[in-house]
Amino acid sequence: MTAQAIPASSPPTTRQGFRFTPSVMMWPALLYLILTTQAPFFLTIYYSFFQRNLQLPMESYPFVGLDNYIGLFKDPQNLSVIWNTLVLTGGVLIITLVLGGLLAMLLNRPFMGRALVRTILISSFLIMPVVTAVVWKNLLLNYDYGFFSWLIKAFGGSPVAWLTVHPMATVITMVSWEWTPFAMLILLTGLQSLPDDQIEAARLDGANPWQEFRHIVLPHWTQALEVVILLETLNVLQVYGEIAISTAGGPGVASTNLPYYISQKLLVEGNIGVGSAAGVVAVILTNLLAVFMLRLINRNTQVGGH
C-alpha cells in the first residue's frame, strides 16, 4: 500500500485593484484641511517677502526679502504693539487661572444654590466679544453714567475715564471677564476627578490646606492647566472685537495688539507685505508663547508633586 501524496493547499487569492481602506477614506478630509489651513499660511509667508501696497500705483511688486520683517522690529511703535500683545495674553492668563482656580475650588464644595451660582458664573463666557465690549464701554465704564462712575461718586470720589487713562488694563479686565468661566469649568472638571481618599490621607498625615493644594491638587491639575493655557493663549492672541469696539487700539497704540495692527495694515492701509509679515510674526509668537507656558506649568507641577 503506497501513501498518497496530499496536494499542497494553494495560497489564498488576494483581490487585485483599488480598495477603500479606512486610511484611504481619510485622505479627502486631510487634503481639505491642508488646503484650507496650510495654503493660506504659505501664501501669507509668500506675500510677506514683497513690497505690495494696494493704495499705491505700482506696476509690479518688487521682492524685498526680509525688509518687511526688519521694518517691523526696527520701528519702536511696532515693538510696543508686540509688547502689548504679550502683556494682554499674560495678564489674561494669570487672572483667569487664579480666579478660575479659586472659583473651581469653591464650586467643588457642596452648598445650597451651587447649580445656580455655576450657571450665573458661566454666562459671561456665552456672550459674544463685540457685545461684551459694548456693555463694558457704555454701561460699566462710561465716564458720565457708567456703573463704576456712579459707584465712585457715591463714595465721594471723581470718575475715571478708564478707556483713556488705563486702556490696556481695561481690555485685560474685559477679556478676563470673558475667559474666567472657561478656566473655571476645566479646572472644576479636574478637581471632580480627584479621588477623595488622597485628600483624606494627606489630612491624616497632618497636611495643611496649602500643602494639600501644592502636593495633591496642583499636580492633579497638570492636564487641565495645559488645556486652559493652550486654548486661552491661542484665543487671547486673536482678540480683536473688544479692542476695536472699546478703544480702537488707542490712545495712540496703547491698547493695540497684533491682530488689530494687522487689520489696520491690511484693511485700512492696504499694505499686504507688512500685514503679511506681521501675521507670520503673530503665528510664531503664538507657538513660542504656548510652548513656553506649557513647559513652565509642567516644571512647576512636577516640582510640586515631589
Side-chain angles (χ1 to χ4, degrees), residues 157-220:
S158 300
V160 179
W162 300 99
L163 296 175
T164 305
V165 180
H166 307 292
M168 180 51 70
T170 306
V171 173
I172 290 175
T173 305
M174 199 182 306
V175 179
S176 300
W177 181 75
E178 291 179 321
W179 282 95
T180 296
F182 173 78
M184 179 195 71
L185 285 177
I186 300 298
L187 296 178
L188 178 60
T189 304
L191 273 181
Q192 291 178 343
S193 64
L194 179 64
D196 294 334
D197 54 351
Q198 293 187 16
I199 297 292
E200 293 175 358
R203 290 174 181 172
L204 289 175
D205 291 338
N208 56 37
W210 167 249
Q211 290 172 332
E212 291 179 16
F213 174 79
R214 178 66 175 167
H215 298 289
I216 297 179
V217 175
L218 193 57
H220 188 77

Side-chain angles (χ1 to χ4, degrees), residues 97-111 114 184 187-188 191 209 212-213 217-218 221:
L97 285 175
V98 173
L99 289 181
L102 293 175
L103 291 173
M105 287 189 286
L106 173 66
L107 292 176
N108 194 42
R109 298 175 181 274
F111 62 89
R114 183 175 63 170
M184 179 195 71
L187 296 178
L188 178 60
L191 273 181
E212 291 179 16
F213 174 79
V217 175
L218 193 57
W221 261 350

Side-chain angles (χ1 to χ4, degrees), residues 18 40 144 169 213 269:
F18 186 79
D144 296 320
F213 174 79
E269 300 179 12

Side-chain angles (χ1 to χ4, degrees), residues 1-293:
M1 183 175 180
T2 57
Q4 188 174 2
I6 299 176
S9 59
S10 58
T13 57
T14 58
R15 294 183 179 179
Q16 302 294 328
F18 186 79
R19 299 178 62 182
F20 286 96
T21 60
S23 60
V24 171
M25 296 179 70
M26 291 174 58
W27 271 105
L30 291 176
L31 289 175
Y32 175 78
L33 286 176
I34 292 172
L35 288 176
T36 55
T37 60
Q38 301 305 310
F41 178 64
F42 285 114
L43 279 176
T44 303
I45 296 176
Y46 172 76
Y47 285 129
S48 68
F49 295 125
F50 291 87
Q51 182 185 356
R52 185 168 187 172
N53 194 324
L54 300 179
Q55 295 185 356
L56 297 179
M58 302 175 64
E59 296 180 354
S60 62
Y61 305 109
F63 179 80
V64 295
L66 297 175
D67 286 355
N68 289 329
Y69 294 94
I70 296 173
L72 280 176
F73 290 101
K74 289 179 67 176
D75 190 346
Q77 178 174 304
N78 296 336
L79 294 179
S80 298
V81 172
I82 296 175
W83 174 249
N84 289 341
T85 307
L86 294 174
V87 170
L88 174 62
T89 306
V92 171
L93 276 177
I94 293 172
I95 292 174
T96 55
L97 285 175
V98 173
L99 289 181
L102 293 175
L103 291 173
M105 287 189 286
L106 173 66
L107 292 176
N108 194 42
R109 298 175 181 274
F111 62 89
M112 184 180 295
R114 183 175 63 170
L116 177 62
V117 173
R118 184 171 53 194
T119 304
I120 293 174
L121 291 175
I122 294 172
S123 59
S124 63
F125 185 62
L126 306 178
I127 300 176
M128 289 185 293
V130 174
V131 178
T132 298
V134 171
V135 170
W136 275 80
K137 181 180 181 180
N138 296 320
L139 298 182
L140 299 178
L141 301 176
N142 188 276
Y143 182 83
D144 296 320
Y145 53 84
F147 172 75
F148 292 111
S149 295
W150 171 82
L151 192 63
I152 292 174
K153 290 178 182 177
F155 285 95
S158 300
V160 179
W162 300 99
L163 296 175
T164 305
V165 180
H166 307 292
M168 180 51 70
T170 306
V171 173
I172 290 175
T173 305
M174 199 182 306
V175 179
S176 300
W177 181 75
E178 291 179 321
W179 282 95
T180 296
F182 173 78
M184 179 195 71
L185 285 177
I186 300 298
L187 296 178
L188 178 60
T189 304
L191 273 181
Q192 291 178 343
S193 64
L194 179 64
D196 294 334
D197 54 351
Q198 293 187 16
I199 297 292
E200 293 175 358
R203 290 174 181 172
L204 289 175
D205 291 338
N208 56 37
W210 167 249
Q211 290 172 332
E212 291 179 16
F213 174 79
R214 178 66 175 167
H215 298 289
I216 297 179
V217 175
L218 193 57
H220 188 77
W221 261 350
T222 301
Q223 293 183 349
L225 290 172
E226 289 176 352
V227 171
V228 173
I229 290 172
L230 186 61
L231 294 182
E232 280 199 14
T233 301
L234 296 177
N235 283 278
V236 175
L237 283 172
Q238 302 173 19
V239 165
Y240 173 81
E242 296 88 340
I243 295 175
I245 297 297
S246 62
T247 65
V253 292
S255 60
T256 299
N257 65 345
L258 273 174
Y260 190 78
Y261 175 82
I262 293 170
S263 72
Q264 293 296 302
K265 289 295 177 184
L266 295 177
L267 302 178
V268 178
E269 300 179 12
N271 198 331
I272 303 298
V274 175
S276 300
V280 175
V281 171
V283 172
I284 296 173
L285 186 65
T286 302
N287 286 277
L288 291 178
L289 195 58
V291 171
F292 171 75
M293 295 300 293

